[in-house]
Structure formats: structure tokens, C-alpha cells
Amino acid sequence: MTRFLSRWSARELVVIGVFAAASKVATLVVALAGGGLNPISLMGKNLIFTTLLVVMLCKVRRPGTLLLFTVINIIVSMLLLGASVTLLPPMLLGALVAELAMWPGRRDGGVWNPVLGAAVFDVVSKVLSVGVSWLFMRENPAMMVMVVPFVAIGYLGSVGGLFSGVKAVKELRHAGIIHE
Amino acid sequence: MRASSMSSRLVGTDMGRDAQKSAALDTRSRMFVTLLASVVTIVISSFEGQMILFAASLLYALSIRRYRALFIAYGFMAAMMGIAALFTFGISKVMPSMTFSLTSLAVPFLRGAVMLNVVLPLALTCRVQALLTALKSLHLPFCIYIPGAVMIRFIPTFMHDIRQVSETLKIRGYDLSFGEMFRHPLMMLRLLFTPLLFRSLRTSEELGIAAELKGLEAEGRFVPFASSAWTRRDTLLVFLAAATAVLALYCHFRWGAVPVHGMR
């Protein structure tokens, strides 16, 4: 366990922390700018989150990075932002399934393995978060009818984020900021 | 004369600061309250239990005396709840099987209000350094502490960066209004997001090199910049929070078992 936890260098851990902060701030700003229940801002914040996730996974190519990123996001959100403990299972499970999906291609240098990881993480965490929404609104099932389309719209943004992530990584490789 | 008045003023300021410091609660106790509230508010599905949580959390939020911030936050939340209620009303008209009643919306809305009441004191009273010290005192593994600390440290910096980027865009003649965000969402995202991505990469490169040069590693020993102090007030806060949670749970199981207008 200790060996697993000490596999990341300080530089890689800093990258994970910076990207966690950037994703939190960017999604928060887009959500606030769009005024909450706005489909465009909902798509936009998911697009930004997935793009940042793909870039981070290309920058830190080590199995377990997505899981660590998720754990840090959850810890900080729970302790400081009052995010519910119920977010923990869907996010963790999503990250675990994504890590499993990325395991066979862990030695590939291309962009497709991180894209696969981000795609699996988005699908699993979104599906499970609908279950969490039910837990929050179980007193009024009518509100669930409103939640499901919004999660679906958010997922469309995540799909767009996969494409913009690939594009961003290509540009960053061309600029020499991300190496093979 | 002047020197003595100056020194007395300085002493007065120091004393005031000391008094303020002793009156402030430790970040860990506030974190505990937030965490406890997020768990208990999900468990309790009765109006009675939620009302107890709401009343106690409102007193906690009022204790920081930031009435303006609290008023703005409540205004924003009321607007969001109004939109949600309108949507629910619309759905009930389209699908008659889904009945609409304000009482059934009360519990989900109270959950949101309870979380707002506990998050605001944490967000408005704790400084970044206090959060970092609290995080260190939790004895988390190195691979979780470093990214967590970097994340907490850089959230305000990125906020500042976004403000600067938007100011730069305004100077260059771009319209960043709400309507423009609707008309050209992709362009707006690109204009705001690309500088942030490059900034993230540059910051991570610089900080990573600095961390390596400073010899940060898993077996390294860190000494926090400031030590945190757990006082009697913190113990009292934790005790009151736990007592409120127990009382709310008791009320939920004792009186909240009978459904009211489709609630539970």
C-alpha cells in the first residue's frame, strides 16, 4: 500500500493538484456565469472538466492518477465545500472502472488511452449520480424527471470535452508542453 | 506623549487581534460540522428533523455576523429554488401522476439551506493558511496532502486569473455579457478557457520544479507554517453539532414516521 501511495513524484502530485483546482474553479465560474439551470453552461462546464481531465491524464501517465484526482476532489469538496458524502461512491466507482479500462493500454504513449479513461469515468459517474439525485429528491419523484435531462445534457458536454481534449493535447504536444 | 499614544494604539491593536483570534473557531471544528451536516441531512427525510437541523444551522451561520453575505446567498438560493419549483409545477401539469405540492418540496429545499448555513461560516471565516494547517493536521498520506494543499492554495489564484483574463478581453473589445455567452458559447469558452489551461500547465511546471528542488518527497518531514489551536469553544461547537444531529434523528424517528402530503 505504501509503495502504491509513494509512486508519484512531487512534480506529478503538483500537476494533479493544480488541475484539480483549475477544474473546480473553471466549472464553478461557468456554472455561475450561466445562472445554474442553463443547458449551455451545463454543457460548457462538463466540456471544460473533461478537457482538463484528458490533458492531465496525458501529462501524468501513471496508473491510479484518475483515482487520486477523484479522491482529492472529493476530500476537498467534502471538507470545504460541503459536498455530500453521497457523491463519494459514484465518483470513486467511476474512477475505479475508468482505471480498469485504461489498464491494458497503460504503456501506450498516445492520447486514446486517457480519452478512454475519461469517457468511461464520465459515463459511470453520470449514471450513478442520477441514483444519488434520487436519494436527494426521493420525497418528490417529479423532480427526478427534471434531473435526468439535465444529466443527459451535461453528458453531451462531456462527449464534446473528449474531442476538445484530443485537440488540446495535439496543440500542447505541438508546442512541446506535453511530451510523448 | 505621541510615542506613548502610538504604543498604546499598537498594543490595543494587538490585543484586539488576540481577542479576535481567541474568539475564532478552529478550521477542523468547522470542517467537522460541515461533514456531519452533509451526512445527517441526507439521512433525515422528515420535515420535523430537517427543521431542527435548519434552525440550528441558521444560528450557526448567524454567529459569524456576515449578514450581507448570508442575505445574498439566501437570495440566490431562493431564485434557484423558485426555478426548480416552477419546473416541478410544469411537470405535474404535463404528467398528472406526479403531483405538485409545496410541502413535498420543503425537505429537498431545507437540505440545501442546511448545507448553505454550514458552508458559509467555513468559507467566510477560514483563511487559506488555516485550511492548509488543518489539512496537515489530518495526517493524510503524502500523495493526498500535496495535491490537496496545492488545490486549496491555487483556487483563489485561479479565481484572480479568470478575473484578469476577462478584464483583458474587455479591454480588447470582447463583450462578455450573458447574451453573448448564449450567442457564441464556444467562442466564449475558448477565450476564457485557453489562457486558464496554459496557466495551469505553466503553474504546475514551475511548482513541480520548486517542489523537487526543495526535496519534497513521501518520506519527508513537513513543519506547518502556523500551528492550529483547538480550544474549548471548538469542543463546545462539536458537542452542540453532535447533540443537534442526535435530536434531529430522534425527532425524525419519533414524529416523522407519519407521511404528510406525500412527504418521506
Side-chain angles (χ1 to χ4, degrees), chain A residues 4 7-9 12 57 59-66 99 102 106:
Chain A
F4 176 79
R7 62 199 307 194
W8 288 276
S9 68
E12 288 169 338
L57 290 174
K59 187 100 175 127
V60 184
R61 289 183 168 277
R62 209 175 280 275
T65 300
L66 181 54
E99 286 292 348
M102 282 194 291
R106 64 190 182 280

Side-chain angles (χ1 to χ4, degrees), chain A residues 33 59 79 82 136 139 146, chain B residues 45 87 111 115 122 178 205:
Chain A
K59 187 100 175 127
L79 291 178
F136 266 92
E139 292 82 10
M146 191 182 80
Chain B
S45 60
F87 266 104
R111 279 196 186 116
M115 285 321 294
L122 183 68
F178 196 71
E205 279 290 324

Side-chain angles (χ1 to χ4, degrees), chain B residues 118-178:
Chain B
V118 294
V119 168
L120 271 183
L122 183 68
L124 296 175
T125 59
C126 299
R127 297 179 73 86
V128 171
Q129 186 55 51
L131 293 173
L132 292 177
T133 310
L135 200 67
K136 181 76 196 108
S137 65
L138 295 176
H139 299 288
L140 295 167
F142 175 77
C143 70
I144 292 176
Y145 171 65
I146 290 290
V150 169
M151 187 180 173
I152 292 169
R153 170 65 186 81
F154 275 90
I155 283 178
T157 311
F158 281 129
M159 288 279 208
H160 179 70
D161 286 350
I162 287 180
R163 213 171 296 138
Q164 276 194 330
V165 169
S166 55
E167 275 172 16
T168 313
L169 289 172
K170 275 179 196 165
I171 290 167
R172 294 190 68 175
Y174 286 103
D175 181 15
L176 296 179
S177 63
F178 196 71

Side-chain angles (χ1 to χ4, degrees), chain B residues 51-68:
Chain B
M51 272 311 285
I52 287 174
L53 286 181
F54 174 72
S57 63
L58 185 64
L59 286 176
Y60 173 59
L62 288 171
S63 71
I64 60 165
R65 295 177 187 181
R66 300 283 289 271
Y67 305 115
R68 193 167 169 266

Side-chain angles (χ1 to χ4, degrees), chain B residues 17-36:
Chain B
R17 225 175 265 160
D18 286 345
Q20 202 181 358
K21 207 175 176 182
S22 65
L25 288 158
D26 192 82
T27 311
R28 287 170 294 177
S29 60
R30 290 203 191 275
M31 280 180 176
F32 174 81
V33 172
T34 313
L35 202 59
L36 185 70

